[in-house]
Amino acid sequence: MQASNGSSPSTTLSESDDELFGSHATAWQGKEVTFMRSNAHSRDRSGKWDTSQLPPAPHPLHELVVGDEKAPNWLSKLGVLKKVLVDDAQRARPDVDALAAGFVYLQWVATGAIPCVEGGGHYRPNHHARLSQHIFR
């Protein structure tokens, strides 16, 4: 599957994903993907994390926006999602609003609409897998 900017997305999506969510939801929306050739990490982040039009905390939308402001990379964004879906949820059972907000948040991260940058830490992939396991158990 080709992204709208001509580059290949980082994950492969099946045709049924396009049918289910629409190609606008699964196509790569971020900047052109470049592969690192040195240890020169770009930690530049730009964006506006405005919560003025959102329901106040502890609403999941508010918590995701505030958390994302401090979460530059994929691992920390998963941590934000864990906080909303597991840590803040009563008996670790999120409500429908939290699940919907979490789904949209991860979809935007996965398609590059919410960019990830290098956060400075170096974790093996099992950190991401374990965090995901805590979220989806």
Side-chain angles (χ1 to χ4, degrees):
M1 184 166 132
Q2 285 290 324
S4 59
N5 65 2
S7 64
S8 296
S10 59
T11 58
T12 7
L13 300 170
S14 68
E15 293 303 318
S16 63
D17 289 333
D18 280 346
E19 291 170 11
L20 182 62
F21 304 119
S23 62
H24 65 281
T26 57
W28 181 252
Q29 303 294 318
K31 296 179 184 176
E32 184 176 343
V33 176
T34 58
F35 293 99
M36 291 183 54
R37 299 191 196 304
S38 68
N39 199 18
H41 299 289
S42 171
R43 291 182 177 91
D44 295 336
R45 293 184 74 206
S46 62
K48 185 177 180 183
W49 293 272
D50 181 13
T51 59
S52 64
Q53 301 296 312
L54 297 176
H59 194 278
L61 293 173
H62 186 274
E63 296 301 314
L64 285 171
V65 171
V66 169
D68 186 74
E69 186 174 9
K70 300 174 189 124
N73 58 25
W74 180 245
L75 182 62
S76 57
K77 290 179 187 308
L78 280 176
V80 170
L81 188 66
K82 179 184 176 285
K83 180 181 181 310
V84 170
L85 294 181
V86 179
D87 300 341
D88 291 350
Q90 188 176 29
R91 294 185 6 227
R93 301 283 186 233
D95 62 13
V96 174
D97 287 341
L99 287 172
F103 172 79
V104 171
Y105 178 69
L106 279 185
Q107 195 69 26
W108 285 347
V109 172
T111 60
I114 296 177
C116 290
V117 297
E118 178 61 41
H122 297 281
Y123 295 97
R124 299 210 179 274
N126 66 326
H127 283 78
H128 301 73
R130 284 187 183 146
L131 189 53
S132 297
Q133 196 175 37
H134 286 294
I135 294 169
F136 295 105
R137 276 202 167 176

